[in-house]
Amino acid sequence: MARTAGSHSETTGPRVQEAALRLFARQGFAAVSMRQIAAEVGVQAGALYNYTPDKQSLLFDLMRGHMDALLAERAARGAGGDAVSRLEEFTRFHIRFHLARPDAVFVSYMELRNLSPENFAVIEGLRRSYEDELEGILRDGVAAGQFDVADTKIATLAVIAMLTGVTTWYREAGRLSVTEVETIYWDMVRKAVAA
Amino acid sequence: MARTAGSHSETTGPRVQEAALRLFARQGFAAVSMRQIAAEVGVQAGALYNYTPDKQSLLFDLMRGHMDALLAERAARGAGGDAVSRLEEFTRFHIRFHLARPDAVFVSYMELRNLSPENFAVIEGLRRSYEDELEGILRDGVAAGQFDVADTKIATLAVIAMLTGVTTWYREAGRLSVTEVETIYWDMVRKAVAA
C-alpha cells in the first residue's frame, strides 16, 4: 500500500499542476475551487492538500515554473555571436517556447492580478531577468552601431509583446509552420531595431 | 416617483456597465455574480434585470461597446494621405485609444473564451473590420513600394499586439508622456514595415 501511495504521489503532483493550469486557463483563477481541481485530478478534495497548501500556492507554482523553465532554457543556450545573431536566436526561441505553452502564457498574463504581493514581486523579478537579457542584446547592438533604438527598455517590451501575440492566433493546422512564422517575425524585429 | 425612477434608470444603465467592467477586470467574468454587480451599483439584485437580461449579455455589451467605439472613431477620421502617413495616424490613434481604456482592453482579450459562440462571432467580426483597416494600409504601402512586408495579415497582427502591449506597462506618473510613447512606437512600426 505504502509503495502504491508513493508511486501515486509522484505522478499526482504534476497532474495537480496540469489540472489547475487547464482550469485556470478555461475559467479563471477566481472561479476555480480546490474541489474542482481535485475532481479534475480524480482525488478527494482533502487529498489535494498533500500536494499544495492552497490555491494561491498552486497559481504561484505554475507561474514560477513557467518562468523558471524559460530562464533555464535561456541559460542553457549561452550567448555567442554578435547582437544581430543573438537577437535572431532570441526571437525564434521566444516564439517557439511560447507557442508550445499557450495556457501557461495566458494564465501568466491574466492572473498577475491574483498573485499575493510577495508572489507578484517574485514573478516580476523573473520577468525582469528575461527582459534584461533582450535589453542587453539591444544595448550591445546600439553600442556596436548595428541597432538604432530610441529607448531600449520600451523596444524590449514592444518586441516581447509582438512576439508573444503569436500565441493568440497561431493554429498548427493553419497555413504556416512555426519556422515560417519565426522567419516572418524575425524580418520585422530585425528591421524595427535596425540602424 | 415615476419621474425619479425614470431619471435613475438613465444613469443606472451606464453605472451597471461600469461596475461590471470593473468587477470583470478585477476578478474575471466567471467569478463575478449578478448579486455582486448589483451591490457595486447600489441596487437590489432583482432591479439589475431591468438593465440587462443576464451576465452574458453584460459581457457582450461591454465588448461590443468597446469595438463599436473603436470603429466609430476610425470612421470619423477618414483615410487621407499616403500609406506612410495613414500608418502613422493609425499607430498613434491605437495607442491613445487603448491607453485610455485599460480595463476594457484587458476584459476584451481575457474574456473572449466566455462569450457564447454567436456573441464570439460578432466580436470576431468587429475585430476583423479593425484589422482589415490596418491591413489595407499595409497593402497600399506595399503596392506603392513604400512598405516591404512578407505577409500583410501577420504584420497586421504583429503591429496590433505590439501597440496594445503599451497598456500592460504604461503609467501616467511614469517618465514618458503618451505622445513620447507614440513617437517611440511609430519609429519602430515605420521601420518594421519599411521597404
Side-chain angles (χ1 to χ4, degrees), chain B residues 20 56 66 84 128 131 172:
Chain B
Q56 173 68 215
H66 177 66
V84 175
R128 192 62 56 99
E131 292 165 9
E172 273 179 45

Coordinates of all heavy atoms in Angstrom, one line a residue, chain B residues 20 56 66 84 128 131 172:
Chain B
A20 N -19.8 46.4 -13.9 CA -19.5 45.1 -14.5 C -18.1 45.0 -15.0 O -17.3 44.1 -14.8 CB -20.5 44.7 -15.6
Q56 N -24.1 37.2 -19.4 CA -23.5 37.0 -20.8 C -23.8 38.3 -21.6 O -22.9 38.7 -22.3 CB -24.1 35.8 -21.4 CG -23.8 35.6 -22.9 CD -22.3 35.3 -23.2 OE1 -21.8 35.7 -24.2 NE2 -21.7 34.5 -22.3
H66 N -17.0 48.4 -26.7 CA -15.6 48.8 -26.9 C -15.3 48.8 -28.4 O -14.6 49.7 -28.9 CB -14.8 47.7 -26.1 CG -13.3 47.9 -26.3 ND1 -12.6 49.0 -25.8 CD2 -12.4 47.1 -26.9 CE1 -11.3 48.9 -26.0 NE2 -11.2 47.8 -26.7
V84 N 2.2 55.8 -45.6 CA 3.0 56.1 -44.5 C 2.3 57.0 -43.5 O 2.3 56.7 -42.3 CB 4.4 56.7 -45.0 CG1 5.2 57.1 -43.8 CG2 5.2 55.7 -45.9
R128 N -12.1 41.9 -36.8 CA -11.6 41.7 -38.2 C -11.7 43.0 -39.0 O -10.8 43.3 -39.8 CB -12.5 40.6 -38.8 CG -12.0 40.1 -40.2 CD -10.6 39.4 -40.0 NE -10.6 38.3 -39.0 CZ -10.7 37.0 -39.3 NH1 -10.8 36.6 -40.5 NH2 -10.7 36.1 -38.3
E131 N -8.8 45.2 -37.9 CA -7.6 44.6 -38.5 C -7.5 44.9 -40.0 O -6.5 45.2 -40.6 CB -7.5 43.1 -38.2 CG -7.3 42.8 -36.8 CD -7.5 41.3 -36.4 OE1 -7.7 40.5 -37.4 OE2 -7.6 41.0 -35.2
E172 N 0.7 56.8 -16.1 CA 0.7 58.2 -16.3 C 1.8 58.9 -15.5 O 2.3 59.9 -15.9 CB -0.7 58.8 -15.9 CG -1.7 58.7 -17.0 CD -3.0 59.3 -16.6 OE1 -3.1 60.3 -16.0 OE2 -4.0 58.6 -16.9

